[in-house]
Amino acid sequence: MAEKKKTGKIPEIKVSAKKKIVFLGSEAAPFIATGGLADVLGSLPKSIAKNKNYDVSVILPLYSAISTEFKSQFKFLTNFNVAVGWRWQYAGVFFMEHEGVKFYFIDNEYYFKREGNIYGFYDDGERFAFFSRAALDTIARLNIYPDVLHCNDWQTAASVIFLKGMYYGDEKFKRIKTIFTIHNIEYQGIFPMDTFESLFGFSSSLKNFVEFDGNVNLMKGAIEMTDIVSTVSPTYAEEIKNAYYAHGLQDIIKRNAWKLVGILNGIDTDYYNPETDKYLFKNYSAKDLSGKAVCKEELQKLLGLPVKPETPIIAVISRLVSHKGLDLVRSTIESVLAEDVQIVILGKGEIGYENFFNHIAYTYKGKCATIIAYNQDLSRKIYSGADLFLMPSKSEPCGLSQMIASRYGTVPIVRETGGLNDSIKAYDGKSGNGFTFKDYNAHDMLYVINEAIRTYHDKDKWKDVQGRALNTDFSWGASAKEYDKIYSDK
Ligand code: GLC
């Protein structure tokens, strides 16, 4: 990392007369990634920045887990102290420009130098209260006041609350429009009420906004106070008005529905590109899929599965948690394995699922392989080598894996929920780019899996549906235009 210098003068960052967007989030590829949020914050800002009318920045925590390859390129800009409740904590600011986007990193080793994961610590509330406030103070300190502050998920919800509730006395903050994007309403940032002042330092007038069910609820506060709420697919925007999907916030969502929009995420189609992907055994394109056959053969060898080009491989790449619909997989996997198929499972999560899928792989050696890991390299080898991609989520705000699978010619089987519903349409011989079922029901899922297997063996139909999956446009193009619209609306 560039050395910290204590200088009086802050190096100047060139800011143009363009419309300025600052994104806040807790992770962004390629710097730090644990889930879909990182993909979005790694690709949406880049895509917005392609529009030359925009000046785009992202502010992130400086986790120790960020690789030294990047850290060595960071430039130290400034440091100051940030109020965390009644205390003051050090914040350093580092900078790097990457693919047309300005990235600022907030340094505080006490909060962000941690072993293992980037979340899941007893003091996550405090860590992100610090980050949310430090981000606003960075904006003031560096004089990079944006036109739009685009906050993402509970970790940056407090920024909206601070800005709208405590910084609005400052004209420059007052004119900032805020967008709060819900990537997953399950994680709301809920903390005991006694943290309201001591830890977050919220002023008492904000209680009505922030309190929910006797707790501090950061996501609720941000939804109430932001100018625009967005979520990552149109279907999810509707679903979260219902208790089944809203994890308690349905009434808050309904009350704020007038400022709610659902915009489907895209993926970085340059990054996820079978023609250039370095992780693949062999590259291929939508026009010439011969390399995909090699990917399949090598994957089978790698995972100790018999090399059988005519046997469909069904892949699951997922966090092994219940909302991913794994109970349906658990209750039907043996029926599926009774067919001539191979199943590959890659993921990590709840111990119950890990044990179950390990056990199945052991019992069905040569038909099923389970790898308990989060592994980028292997995931690409599976996306490219498999034939079908199973994603039967109970709820799915957007979901990116079904788009990535499609891009590699691996046809998705999904439940019609959230972004899965908006991105994958049932194949009927004339249209559609995958296989879908509606109700959260194991038999319905089994039925479409069998239909997908039958289609796989019908060469013409398979070519047709696979081609439709490969040719669906999952780039950010259309969605970036929709963001452009909400950034520009006054
Ligand atoms: C969360 C959601 C997922 C979405 C991603 C990016 O991880 O669970 O559905 O694709 O955020 O928005």
Side-chain angles (χ1 to χ4, degrees), residues 35-40 153 181-185 187 231-232 236 265 319 323-324 391 395-403 419 476:
L37 174 64
D39 275 270
V40 172
D153 272 350
T181 298
I182 303 170
H183 293 263
N184 192 339
I185 205 164
Y187 308 106
T231 187
V232 287
Y236 194 60
N265 288 332
R319 275 187 297 130
H323 84 254
K324 293 292 178 185
M391 193 166 177
S395 68
E396 196 60 70
C398 178
L400 303 171
S401 316
Q402 80 280 15
M403 302 184 190
W476 274 103

Side-chain angles (χ1 to χ4, degrees), residues 449-462:
I449 291 178
N450 284 326
E451 186 194 331
I453 295 172
R454 270 197 309 278
T455 310
Y456 174 82
H457 290 296
D458 180 327
K459 291 264 177 308
D460 290 339
K461 279 193 177 163
W462 182 250

